[in-house]
Amino acid sequence: MNKIYFYAPDEEKVELMKKDYSKWSGDFGNFGWIAPTYFYLKAAGFTCEIATRVPEEGILLADRDTLGDGQKDLNKVMLICAKGDREFHPYAHLHIVQNPVEFNRKKNSIWRPYYIPFWPQPELVPRAKERNYLVENVAYIGAESQLAKELKSERWIKYLEDLGCKWLPIFDKKKWNNYRNIDLVVAARSFDKITYTNKPASKLINCWRAGVPAILTPETAFLAERKTELDFLIVESLEEAIAAVKKLKSDPELYGAMVENCLKRAEEFTTEKTVEQWVTFFNQVAFPAYEEWRKTSEPQKEILFFLRSIRLKLHRMTVIIKGKLK
């Protein structure tokens, strides 16, 4: 079996790699693709090694933030980039993406993406069973910068109060695992019909694992995971969000059905299932790709890098132009 190197170029990251992630109670953060993957794949019997620098040859797994745009010394190393919600990397031969849309888009074939969901939230505390069908505490869990302005307004808070509900936005990362007293989650980055193809379905998956119904905008990652109407309620405006809260508060049967469905869907997103997906990726995709890559000539590798660099520059120019047109 080929050895897998996990890139941790500084002491802080090396220490994170040494943690027992089966007992970890913190937030994975941006390094969350690398450290837990190292821990669980090593436990699964893979030959894994922490790399504080780029190895002379072999397979290197690194996250996009840690890599930056550099790493031109990769001629003998096949780079697998855990992209997250960042850009593709021009030197990466394979990419791990967290949204199925990026995996399925034909125009992304040059980047060779492969979809694996982000690792489950560590030490997640589910909703207390004794809350039954109570719909009182309505929460948002995530970064404040990712919350739509309408859900920060006094109008929203007043609407909820009129329904007998409390608005509990949770911005503190240290509290993102605790759903004990939460009855509903409402999440919207915006109501501007933006599809957010680089964002994951983590908020939805965490709700399923916690047994908490979710009210969400139709982001591509959420829609990709949706099988039935019980998975989450779709809203596209503040008014629709209010109507959805009212609907679940006034219909205990629907609320109970969504809770039951949450627990069923959660079975698809356990740590064990995620380990299986990583094992499949390396055995069926990465290891065969490495053998193929080793036979690729240096000029061919340079051509691939050139094409990817051009594609990345064009993408950045498009983003800048769109930004100026707004």
Side-chain angles (χ1 to χ4, degrees):
M1 182 181 291
N2 290 304
K3 180 185 290 187
I4 309 166
Y5 291 94
F6 293 76
Y7 194 46
D10 58 62
E11 191 59 37
E12 181 182 359
K13 288 181 172 60
V14 170
E15 289 303 309
L16 284 173
M17 298 286 283
K18 295 178 180 178
K19 290 185 179 294
D20 181 346
Y21 279 89
S22 65
K23 301 175 182 176
W24 178 242
S25 60
D27 174 54
F28 283 156
N30 290 334
F31 199 56
W33 282 103
I34 306 305
T37 306
Y38 168 79
F39 173 81
Y40 287 112
L41 286 186
K42 190 174 182 180
F46 280 71
T47 305
C48 302
E49 185 175 316
I50 300 170
T52 56
R53 67 178 101 184
V54 175
E56 291 185 5
E57 61 180 359
I59 299 171
L60 179 67
L61 177 62
D63 72 278
R64 186 62 173 87
D65 283 349
T66 301
L67 283 168
D69 277 342
Q71 309 305 328
K72 199 172 181 179
D73 50 345
L74 287 167
N75 288 338
K76 295 184 179 180
V77 177
M78 189 186 81
L79 174 62
I80 302 172
C81 175
K83 177 182 173 293
D85 61 0
R86 305 299 196 246
E87 299 174 314
F88 290 102
H89 195 286
Y91 280 100
H93 192 60
L94 297 171
H95 285 84
I96 300 297
V97 296
Q98 59 188 3
N99 188 321
V101 170
E102 290 200 309
F103 172 58
N104 292 323
R105 277 187 171 175
K106 290 183 179 180
K107 72 174 186 178
N108 287 340
S109 60
I110 192 172
W111 304 111
R112 299 189 69 172
Y114 188 89
Y115 168 63
I116 300 179
F118 195 61
W119 287 100
Q121 175 74 42
E123 295 293 305
L124 187 140
V125 180
R127 181 175 183 264
K129 291 182 180 180
E130 57 267 25
R131 294 188 71 81
N132 294 319
Y133 303 124
L134 178 65
V135 178
E136 181 180 73
N137 295 331
V138 181
Y140 164 81
I141 300 176
E144 185 173 4
S145 62
Q146 298 296 304
L147 181 63
K149 62 182 184 297
E150 291 88 345
L151 298 181
K152 298 177 183 178
S153 67
E154 289 299 322
R155 184 184 175 198
W156 166 246
I157 295 172
K158 180 65 167 58
Y159 271 137
L160 291 182
E161 288 176 349
D162 290 345
L163 291 174
C165 297
K166 301 173 185 175
W167 178 232
L168 303 173
I170 301 172
F171 304 130
D172 184 352
K173 286 186 178 182
K174 295 178 181 178
K175 299 178 181 179
W176 285 357
N177 67 315
N178 192 348
Y179 289 71
R180 185 183 301 278
N181 295 311
I182 295 174
D183 304 312
L184 275 180
V185 164
V186 178
R189 298 179 207 276
S190 77
F191 291 112
D192 298 329
K193 301 186 185 304
I194 301 173
T195 56
Y196 296 101
T197 55
N198 63 329
K199 293 296 184 180
S202 297
K203 286 182 174 62
L204 174 60
I205 293 168
N206 286 341
C207 283
W208 287 340
R209 294 180 62 231
V212 177
I215 296 171
L216 307 169
T217 48
E219 293 186 13
T220 55
F222 301 147
L223 294 176
E225 301 294 353
R226 196 172 193 250
K227 294 180 179 179
T228 74
E229 293 181 357
L230 294 177
D231 284 336
F232 66 94
L233 299 186
I234 297 174
V235 296
E236 298 189 65
S237 67
L238 183 65
E239 289 71 26
E240 288 185 10
I242 290 293
V245 174
K246 188 174 182 180
K247 181 177 182 178
L248 287 172
K249 189 174 179 67
S250 62
D251 191 342
E253 186 175 336
L254 173 61
Y255 183 86
M258 289 189 72
V259 170
E260 185 177 346
N261 180 72
C262 283
L263 303 179
K264 290 179 180 177
R265 292 304 310 273
E267 295 174 2
E268 302 171 33
F269 298 94
T270 62
T271 297
E272 292 74 21
K273 292 287 186 182
T274 308
V275 170
E276 288 177 12
Q277 290 181 70
W278 276 102
V279 168
T280 298
F281 166 70
F282 274 102
N283 286 335
Q284 298 184 10
V285 180
F287 291 154
Y290 179 59
E291 295 307 315
E292 168 196 303
W293 182 86
R294 288 177 64 185
K295 299 172 185 176
T296 304
S297 68
E298 295 304 316
Q300 287 175 313
K301 290 176 184 176
E302 286 298 323
I303 290 172
L304 279 172
F305 166 68
F306 175 75
L307 292 174
R308 290 166 182 160
S309 296
I310 293 297
R311 179 69 65 84
L312 184 60
K313 288 176 182 177
L314 289 173
H315 167 73
R316 288 175 174 175
M317 288 176 61
T318 301
V319 170
I320 292 171
I321 292 170
K322 285 183 177 179
K324 288 181 178 180
L325 292 176
K326 285 184 178 180

